[in-house]
Amino acid sequence: MAGGGAGGGCPSVEAEGEAAVACEALRLLRIEPSAVGPGAGRAGGAARCSRNVLRKRRHWERVLAARRRKRRQERERSRARRAAGPGAASRDGGRVPAPLAKERLLGARASGPWLCVDLGVADRMTQKETSRLASQIRRLYGANKRSEKPFWLCLTEFVVGSSIYEECFRMNDGFSNYLMDTTEESYLDLFPLDAIVYLTPDSENVLEDIDPSKVYVLGGLVDESIHKKLTLQRAQEQSLQTARLPIREYMVKTINAKNYHSETLAINQVFDVLSTYYETRSWPAALKAGVSSGKGYVLPDAVK
């Protein structure tokens, strides 16, 4: 039945179709097909990819394809909910029914966006700071669970027996049942480098939009930590794209007794900004939701 498999000179129709799908996936990742083609690296070897990198890219291509399907399905469900009237989220004091919350979270897992908390820096903190971080993770998860358009959450380098591991289970009831991923692996082992955006207040790049095909990473440090530019240095050493929230682009400094102005937020506050923007597509509304006046920044219309 099969004629051109072992010795022929012409590729099959199926092979051409698979190649087209692969090229489209690589285009979505902003990777030139030639960069992973059979001739890559012959002249100098600079573009040669390891088997591990290729494996991660192929996996991410499948993830992106599934996300596109899920996003189409979610748009159809959203239209159906709007046609049916006010959603269940507005009932019962704003609480989201568990089945609906689960459906939304699993939809985010399939279609994005993803948000990782990088706990590879958690060993830099004191016990008090570690406890505060565990509390922030609980608040972040709760806010995400209530969100109409949640992210899929992932705790990376979440090492069994570490201080943050023990604190998360000690302080958060039902932590083992949280609908999110936890892994001892690094985000570098899970995703292609060009799919990762490390969010740090020290970046020179402004976050302009949220792309569901990207993985956004937050450094697992509490806002009281004084490890200046630690997350930026970590991201640069890993050759990652970085971005910061557009606080200074949309907000203004306010006069206060201590002349205090800070763009460093707790991870749950950063999430409040990201989540609100993802739902409203309004940076002013998002920053108002996550940046307290205690940081020394307010929206221009709040200044009298």
Side-chain angles (χ1 to χ4, degrees):
M1 292 191 295
C10 296
S12 66
V13 174
E14 289 82 1
E16 291 178 353
E18 292 176 358
V21 171
C23 288
E24 172 63 12
L26 292 173
R27 183 187 67 79
L28 290 171
L29 282 169
R30 297 180 176 88
I31 302 172
E32 291 297 329
S34 60
V36 294
R42 290 178 182 172
R48 185 175 301 149
C49 296
S50 68
R51 290 183 179 179
N52 188 46
V53 171
L54 290 174
R55 176 184 59 79
K56 286 192 290 185
R57 283 181 176 171
R58 293 191 192 100
H59 171 73
W60 195 241
E61 290 160 16
R62 291 193 293 271
V63 169
L64 291 178
R67 286 183 176 185
R68 289 195 297 274
R69 293 193 297 271
K70 288 292 184 179
R71 282 199 293 273
R72 287 195 295 270
Q73 295 170 0
E74 179 59 29
R75 285 194 294 269
E76 293 172 359
R77 286 194 293 265
S78 295
R79 286 194 291 268
R81 286 194 293 266
R82 286 195 296 269
S90 62
R91 308 186 191 106
D92 194 22
R95 297 185 62 182
V96 179
L100 178 58
K102 182 177 181 180
E103 176 189 348
R104 289 174 174 174
L105 289 170
L106 293 178
R109 184 181 192 183
S111 60
W114 281 42
L115 182 71
C116 290
V117 179
D118 172 20
L119 297 176
V121 293
D123 59 350
R124 310 290 185 98
M125 297 186 297
T126 64
Q127 185 61 38
K128 179 181 177 181
E129 290 172 334
T130 301
S131 296
R132 291 183 67 86
L133 177 60
S135 177
Q136 291 172 12
I137 290 173
R138 180 183 68 243
R139 294 173 188 170
L140 191 162
Y141 178 79
N144 190 51
K145 187 177 179 182
R146 294 188 298 271
S147 177
E148 183 177 340
K149 296 178 65 177
F151 289 60
W152 180 254
L153 304 180
C154 181
L155 306 184
T156 57
E157 297 192 51
F158 188 61
V159 179
V160 175
S162 65
S163 295
I164 186 60
Y165 179 93
E166 299 293 343
E167 284 300 285
C168 281
F169 279 92
R170 183 182 72 82
M171 297 183 62
N172 303 338
D173 292 337
F175 182 82
S176 60
N177 296 321
Y178 279 13
L179 201 57
M180 63 180 181
D181 286 335
T182 60
T183 177
E184 294 191 359
E185 292 184 279
S186 166
Y187 45 85
L188 298 175
D189 299 320
L190 301 173
F191 313 106
L193 293 184
D194 48 9
I196 300 172
V197 180
Y198 206 117
L199 299 179
T200 168
D202 300 308
S203 175
E204 296 180 356
N205 307 313
V206 179
L207 182 66
E208 297 180 351
D209 199 2
I210 294 175
D211 183 350
S213 68
K214 297 292 185 180
V215 178
Y216 296 93
V217 178
L218 297 178
L221 289 171
V222 299
D223 52 346
E224 290 85 355
S225 296
I226 56 173
H227 304 291
K228 191 171 179 62
K229 296 189 176 181
L230 174 63
T231 51
L232 177 63
Q233 180 182 354
R234 180 173 172 84
Q236 289 175 336
E237 289 174 350
Q238 296 169 344
S239 301
L240 298 176
Q241 178 184 349
T242 64
R244 61 173 174 81
L245 297 178
I247 293 176
R248 65 189 81 153
E249 282 71 25
Y250 288 91
M251 308 186 85
V252 295
K253 293 181 179 180
T254 57
I255 300 174
N256 56 69
K258 295 183 179 180
N259 193 31
Y260 174 76
H261 304 91
S262 175
E263 298 179 43
T264 302
L265 309 179
I267 59 169
N268 57 294
Q269 293 173 326
V270 175
F271 175 77
D272 288 343
V273 174
L274 297 175
S275 177
T276 304
Y277 174 77
Y278 194 50
E279 289 187 13
T280 66
R281 296 295 172 176
S282 168
W283 279 119
L287 294 167
K288 183 178 181 180
V291 181
S292 67
S293 58
K295 291 294 180 179
Y297 284 91
V298 296
L299 294 173
D301 59 11
V303 179
K304 303 297 183 181

